[in-house]
Amino acid sequence: MNWKPDQTFYPSPKMAIEAAPEKLGYLSLMEPTRTKPDAMAVVDLDPASKSYGRIVSQLDMPNAGDELHHFGWNACSSCLCPASPHPHMERRYLVVPGLRSSRIHILDTKPDPKNLKLTKVIEPEEVMKKTGYSRAHTSHCGPDAIYMNALGSAEGKGPGGIFMLDAETFDVKGPWEKDRGPQYLSYDFWWHLGHDTMITSEWGTPDMVENGPNPELLLAGKYGHALHVWDLRRRTHQQVLDLGAEQQMVLELRPAHDPTESYGFVGVVTSLKDLSASVWLWYREGSNGNGEWKIRKVIEIPAEPAAAEDLPPLLKGFGAVPPFVTDINLSLDDRFLYVSCWGTGEFLQYDVSDPFNPVKTGSVRIGGIVQRTAHPSQPKKPLNGGPQMVEVSRDGKRVYVTNSLYASWDETFYPDGIRGWMVKLNVGKEGGMELDERFLLETDLRPHQVRLQGGDASSDSYCFA
């Protein structure tokens, strides 16, 4: 029993914004050949430190071939929610799934946050036996349990879905859905706790994605193009929000942090019409919680002309480099939306104070399939990969970006092999952003997600405004 409330839990996003700046980041590192273990690194984020912007320790996983992906905390601010309060919990353990292996690792950040310890491994056989799912993808700390999702069935096909872990013992509790309706594809999930609503998105089943993008499936519009709305309390499917088969791969979900609001943003990787990428807004129209959920496109980012010799084989016939929006993130005050264009190497900032009418407020280039834009600290050194996973500090003043997507997709679009990097951007009070010239972390392994010590803009959910 923890008799002292965790000081990193906040009832509301407004209170979390006042939290002290992060000093450490936890960074997943993938070994692309799958002959050596992946790792979790601890990165020094304190500008006053001599090791600022560098890895200060690294914990190798016990097996090769996990492909560490989206990880989360065992507990967070949602523990304060009145419907299922358990404020005795402590934000201490990182729940780290292997997307390819389906293995789940539990890492302890205490007593020494700079030196992680592996405390438990949930083997893939147990996950598959108790849930029917495989390829664990994303982890969120919920009010009553740890929620995780998976891309597919134990056989590597569909459907994908959500399962739960006990937040104290990490025992696998089983699948979450009681009535999945037409939902079959899976990618991300998140919720509006104040509205008892879960939203899920779509990518593809393991046999559609593990060997790289399948051009036949893509051109036939077979990858995910819809969101699903669920009754969070009853665990039942409620509604499909179909963007149309032209919109392929509907990925990262970022609901408004204000629990009284009922809207959010989702990024779409590409359009079959013109290779553009887009961001869509889901929202509930109506009052008293009885309205229908709807969706509309609010941002479109065009493909950029490119010479065939500068493009990888899959894109040579198109004469253009697609933006490929692979991640987005929303500041805790719900004001700024960040958009990663992994293909062109552009990283964008929009003011979404009016979520129906975003206003572009910032643009930075780094990496990219064609441009290979360098970091300002090493202006003559081209970088490959592009802006990919994004994390925003709780006060919204700092943004961290990594460059690897998924091993088999990395090789398709960056066939020369991605060299890993992580960068930091400083954000202006009224918008705008610039790369921190002191922060370019390069690594032979491929960085994917970063979590910030104490919480960040995509780790916590709140039940109070």
Side-chain angles (χ1 to χ4, degrees), residues 44-109:
D44 189 338
L45 304 181
D46 182 359
S49 170
K50 292 181 179 178
S51 55
Y52 173 58
R54 300 207 299 267
I55 292 173
V56 295
S57 72
Q58 180 173 314
L59 175 66
D60 292 341
M61 298 299 106
N63 299 280
D66 287 314
E67 187 137 8
L68 302 186
H69 214 66
H70 298 181
F71 60 99
W73 293 98
N74 65 308
C76 60
S77 299
S78 62
C79 291
L80 305 179
C81 286
S84 183
H86 44 299
H88 63 285
M89 293 291 291
E90 182 181 21
R91 187 196 306 268
R92 173 166 180 167
Y93 299 96
L94 294 170
V95 182
V96 186
L99 179 55
R100 188 169 285 268
S101 69
S102 308
R103 186 176 289 111
I104 300 170
H105 311 82
I106 309 299
L107 309 185
D108 193 353
T109 66

Side-chain angles (χ1 to χ4, degrees), residues 105-431:
H105 311 82
I106 309 299
L107 309 185
D108 193 353
T109 66
K110 293 184 178 179
D112 182 359
K114 288 187 176 180
N115 288 287
L116 299 171
K117 291 183 178 178
L118 178 67
T119 61
K120 182 171 183 174
V121 176
I122 306 172
E123 294 294 345
E125 293 79 10
E126 182 178 355
V127 175
M128 296 177 197
K129 180 181 179 181
K130 293 184 176 178
T131 71
Y133 294 133
S134 70
R135 280 71 166 189
H137 181 263
T138 292
S139 175
H140 281 308
C141 40
D144 54 345
I146 297 167
Y147 287 62
M148 304 190 76
N149 76 338
L151 292 186
S153 65
E155 295 75 29
K157 301 184 181 298
I162 296 170
F163 61 98
M164 302 167 74
L165 304 183
D166 185 286
E168 296 188 74
T169 65
F170 304 108
D171 290 340
V172 181
K173 299 177 70 172
W176 174 78
E177 302 88 351
K178 291 186 176 177
D179 176 4
R180 68 177 344 107
Q183 180 267 330
Y184 185 78
L185 300 179
S186 174
Y187 181 76
D188 197 11
F189 72 100
W190 217 345
W191 40 54
H192 296 285
L193 293 178
H195 302 267
D196 285 334
T197 298
M198 178 181 282
I199 308 290
T200 64
S201 63
E202 296 183 338
W203 183 23
T205 54
D207 58 350
M208 295 171 66
V209 303
E210 283 190 339
N211 295 320
N214 182 319
E216 292 184 4
L217 293 177
L218 179 61
L219 295 175
K222 298 297 185 183
Y223 285 100
H225 51 82
L227 296 186
H228 298 269
V229 183
W230 304 75
D231 185 313
L232 182 58
R233 191 173 299 246
R234 295 182 175 84
R235 307 184 187 184
T236 55
H237 188 277
Q238 287 188 312
Q239 191 178 342
V240 178
L241 301 175
D242 195 343
L243 284 62
E246 171 193 313
Q247 308 296 335
Q248 286 288 283
M249 293 174 275
V250 183
L251 299 186
E252 302 292 344
L253 300 164
R254 304 299 176 195
H257 296 289
D258 182 342
T260 67
E261 297 288 357
S262 53
Y263 69 84
F265 300 93
V266 61
V268 176
V269 174
T270 196
S271 164
L272 296 179
K273 177 183 176 183
D274 55 10
L275 298 184
S276 64
S278 54
V279 176
W280 294 59
L281 175 77
W282 78 79
Y283 58 100
R284 185 155 65 178
E285 194 170 74
S287 57
N288 300 321
N290 297 319
E292 278 199 346
W293 293 87
K294 296 188 175 182
I295 192 162
R296 68 165 68 169
K297 186 192 299 184
V298 292
I299 297 171
E300 182 171 290
I301 305 166
E304 299 178 356
E309 58 266 29
D310 293 332
L311 295 168
L314 188 65
L315 297 175
K316 284 187 182 298
F318 294 97
V321 58
F324 287 152
V325 168
T326 51
D327 193 20
I328 61 176
N329 210 323
L330 182 64
S331 60
L332 271 190
D333 60 3
D334 293 328
R335 180 176 180 187
F336 290 112
L337 182 74
Y338 295 89
V339 180
S340 281
C341 299
W342 188 64
T344 55
E346 188 173 21
F347 185 66
L348 294 159
Q349 180 197 56
Y350 292 86
D351 187 330
V352 291
S353 300
D354 176 358
F356 291 90
N357 296 288
V359 177
K360 186 169 134 180
T361 49
S363 171
V364 168
R365 295 265 179 175
I366 185 161
I369 292 173
V370 173
Q371 293 196 7
R372 308 290 172 114
T373 306
H375 190 268
S377 65
Q378 301 185 49
K380 294 183 180 180
K381 183 178 181 181
L383 295 178
N384 70 2
Q388 213 287 100
M389 292 302 292
V390 189
E391 198 47 76
V392 184
S393 64
R394 287 173 292 183
D395 60 12
K397 297 179 180 178
R398 297 164 300 283
V399 177
Y400 302 90
V401 179
T402 59
N403 74 330
S404 173
L405 178 64
Y406 183 52
S408 57
W409 292 54
D410 287 350
E411 315 309 337
T412 299
F413 296 106
Y414 291 89
D416 49 327
I418 282 182
R419 174 162 172 76
W421 49 256
M422 172 183 171
V423 297
K424 174 192 168 192
L425 298 100
N426 295 314
V427 178
K429 187 175 181 181
E430 298 301 322

